[in-house]
């Protein structure tokens, strides 16, 4: 697909999306794909989870949105696939990602978020520049033969593109090098989401919570609109359609479009005047564990980190445009929004699924033709797992 700027995109442009949605509304239909049956054992088997974690560490993944560290000295940490990491923006404005460990005793160097001129270990005061090089060791004479040039922080390969900081494999596997490079390209060639994410360069909130839910169940909750009426009857359903989506796959990634009812106001307007920003939510699933969800006044970058077979951490970065950030700052707090309540509802459903998986009632989880993005996720996961060597 070629945009008005002449850039090729793997997804439909906004006008084409509106046409498809209006056609679905008129016909009472939705995008359809193949049925997928996922064995329940794949959610419960410790060996399967260990293989998944090994695979996740062997491929690139999105770490954080660029908006989380906009200025030199800004830093943020996250435990990624059980590996503590942090990102920091240097004085040269380059974003770097490091393993979160002091080179003296392994103390975690960064906690939470912050901004600093240098990174100082709270334990013994070893100090590192923003580029990771070792700058100061208290009582350095106590460490004969210490070469500061070899004791800088351990950097993780990373690339910043189109509003995201993407890390390379944490445990590189030479046999997977070509596949890992393809995966990196899929996460850094951001033409599919560039115009939606890049303008949202202000971080307005960050939240993290651990849930007693398998990571795959949490990813699944974002990838279909079949549940809108039953799960979100008083939150999303008054504004959106039930079981009406446009689903697009591009490589290992996918995009699901959730229309608002106000999209019908475009019917009698010239296509040249159509605006879509306040008429749909786009959810980009960036394989394996990151969702970009666009809303009229904000965008969420949601990361699902596996902890163990039945626990995961969800970290949500809320970003927006400078204009919206100013408006939200000036507005008075108004309590939980329908969007906030809808997120709680989704997590409640996922917790119920997690409990049901352990009940022994089903041999497989069935995803119907209207849930095809979930099948794509599992198919890609299977393909990546099949690449692992014993």
């Amino acid at each position: 697909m070629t945009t008005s700027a002449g850039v090729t995109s793997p997804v439909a442009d906004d006008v084409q999306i509106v046409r498809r949605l209006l056609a679905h509304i008129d016909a009472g239909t939705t995008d359809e794909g193949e049925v997928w049956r996922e064995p329940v054992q794949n959610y419960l088997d410790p060996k399967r989870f260990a293989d998944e974690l090994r695979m996740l560490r062997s491929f690139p993944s999105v770490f954080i949105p660029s908006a989380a560290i906009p200025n030199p000295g800004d830093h943020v940490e996250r435990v990624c696939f059980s590996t503590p990491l942090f990102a920091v923006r240097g004085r040269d404005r380059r974003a770097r990602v490091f393993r979160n460990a002091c080179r003296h005793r392994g103390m975690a160097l960064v906690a939470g978020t912050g901004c600093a001129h240098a990174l100082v270990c709270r334990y013994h005061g070893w100090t590192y520049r923003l580029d990771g090089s070792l700058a100061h060791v208290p009582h350095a004479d106590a460490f004969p033969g210490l070469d500061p040039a070899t004791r800088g922080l351990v950097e993780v390969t990373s690339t910043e593109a189109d509003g995201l900081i993407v890390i390379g494999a944490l445990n590189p596997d030479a046999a997977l090098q070509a596949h890992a490079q393809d995966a990196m390209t899929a996460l850094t060639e951001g033409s599919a989401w560039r115009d939606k994410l890049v303008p949202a360069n202000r971080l307005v909130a960050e939240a993290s919570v651990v849930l007693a839910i398998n990571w795959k169940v949490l990813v699944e909750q974002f990838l279909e609109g079949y549940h809108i009426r039953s799960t979100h009857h008083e939150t999303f359903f008054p504004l959106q359609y039930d079981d009406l989506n446009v689903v697009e796959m591009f490589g290992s990634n996918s995009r699901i479009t959730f229309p608002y009812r106000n999209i019908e106001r475009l019917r009698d307007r010239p296509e040249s005047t159509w605006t879509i920003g306040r008429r749909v939510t786009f959810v980009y699933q960036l394989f394996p564990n990151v969702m970009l969800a666009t809303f009229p006044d904000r965008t969420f970058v949601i990361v699902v980190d596996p902890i163990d077979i039945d626990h995961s951490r969800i970290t949500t970065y809320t970003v927006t445009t400078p204009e919206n950030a100013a408006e939200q700052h000036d507005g008075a707090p108004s309590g939980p929004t329908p969007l906030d309540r809808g997120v709680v509802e989704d997590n409640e459903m996922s917790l119920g699924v997690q409990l049901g998986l352990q009940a022994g009632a089903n041999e497989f989880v069935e995803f119907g033709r209207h849930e095809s993005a979930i099948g794509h996720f599992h198919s890609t996961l299977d393909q990546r797992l099949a690449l692992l060597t014993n």
Side-chain angles (χ1 to χ4, degrees), residues 189-252:
E189 200 298 294
S191 59
W193 60 84
R194 182 181 301 129
D195 64 332
K196 306 294 189 296
L197 180 62
V198 170
N201 59 9
R202 296 289 187 275
L203 180 73
V204 294
E206 178 190 353
S208 183
V209 62
V210 173
L211 300 172
I213 304 170
N214 182 275
W215 76 280
K216 300 188 296 292
V217 174
L218 287 170
V219 171
E220 291 164 359
Q221 75 179 20
F222 294 94
L223 304 185
E224 48 88 4
Y226 179 45
H227 69 289
I228 297 295
R229 182 196 299 267
S230 55
T231 299
H232 304 298
H233 189 72
E234 296 181 358
T235 51
F236 295 159
F237 183 59
L239 302 174
Q240 296 180 308
Y241 297 88
D242 180 57
D243 197 25
L244 197 168
N245 303 105
V246 169
V247 180
E248 301 165 279
M249 284 76 161
F250 50 108
S252 55

Side-chain angles (χ1 to χ4, degrees), residues 275-352:
T275 57
I276 199 172
R278 295 185 176 272
R279 305 186 194 278
V280 305
T281 282
F282 291 112
V283 174
Y284 297 83
Q285 200 263 320
L286 304 185
F287 192 86
N289 64 324
V290 171
M291 275 61 62
L292 312 180
T294 70
F295 289 87
D297 61 347
R298 71 196 73 179
T299 294
F300 295 129
V301 180
I302 303 158
V303 186
V304 179
D305 276 310
I307 296 175
D308 56 37
I309 198 165
D310 52 11
H311 290 86
S312 309
R313 179 180 292 277
I314 289 189
T315 304
T316 303
Y317 303 92
T318 306
V319 298
T320 190
T321 63
E323 297 76 18
N324 281 333
E327 292 176 6
Q328 293 169 24
H329 179 75
D330 293 339
S334 55
T337 66
L339 178 57
D340 297 326
R341 298 197 302 273
V343 169
V344 171
E345 291 165 347
D346 277 330
N347 288 340
E348 288 176 348
M349 296 303 106
S350 290
L351 180 58

Side-chain angles (χ1 to χ4, degrees), residues 25-37:
I25 292 169
D26 292 340
T29 56
T30 187
D31 275 13
E32 295 186 343
E34 298 298 320
V35 171
W36 182 271
R37 290 182 172 182

Side-chain angles (χ1 to χ4, degrees), residues 129-144:
R129 301 177 183 89
L130 298 181
D131 65 3
S133 59
L134 181 60
H136 174 65
V137 175
H139 305 291
D141 59 316
F143 299 90

Side-chain angles (χ1 to χ4, degrees), residues 38-207:
E38 183 68 9
V40 167
Q41 192 64 14
N42 284 353
Y43 299 89
L44 304 178
D45 180 14
K47 173 62 167 60
R48 165 80 179 206
F49 178 81
D51 287 344
E52 289 172 354
L53 198 57
R54 179 184 165 203
M55 181 277 295
L56 293 170
R57 291 169 171 163
S58 300
F59 281 87
S61 62
V62 173
F63 188 59
I64 57 170
S66 298
I69 52 169
N71 302 309
D74 288 345
H75 52 266
V76 59
E77 56 89 15
R78 203 187 105 225
V79 178
C80 177
F81 309 142
S82 300
T83 304
L85 305 174
F86 74 90
V88 60
R89 193 166 298 280
R91 298 183 190 282
D92 56 1
R93 305 202 66 85
R94 177 184 159 194
R96 296 175 176 85
V97 179
F98 298 98
R99 295 179 184 267
N100 194 6
C102 177
R103 298 302 307 281
H104 171 218
R105 296 270 290 276
M107 172 73 177
L109 196 63
V110 170
T113 62
C115 185
H117 295 296
L119 302 167
V120 182
C121 180
R122 293 176 294 124
Y123 199 177
H124 297 94
W126 284 39
T127 302
Y128 303 86
R129 301 177 183 89
L130 298 181
D131 65 3
S133 59
L134 181 60
H136 174 65
V137 175
H139 305 291
D141 59 316
F143 299 90
L146 173 67
D147 180 3
T150 66
R151 297 294 284 277
L153 298 174
V154 177
E155 188 170 358
V156 173
T157 300
S158 65
T159 300
E160 184 172 18
D162 296 319
L164 297 171
I165 297 170
V166 180
I167 58 172
L170 295 174
N171 292 345
D173 185 330
L176 300 176
Q177 183 174 357
H179 299 286
Q181 184 55 54
D182 289 343
M184 176 64 83
T185 300
L187 294 175
T188 55
E189 200 298 294
S191 59
W193 60 84
R194 182 181 301 129
D195 64 332
K196 306 294 189 296
L197 180 62
V198 170
N201 59 9
R202 296 289 187 275
L203 180 73
V204 294
E206 178 190 353

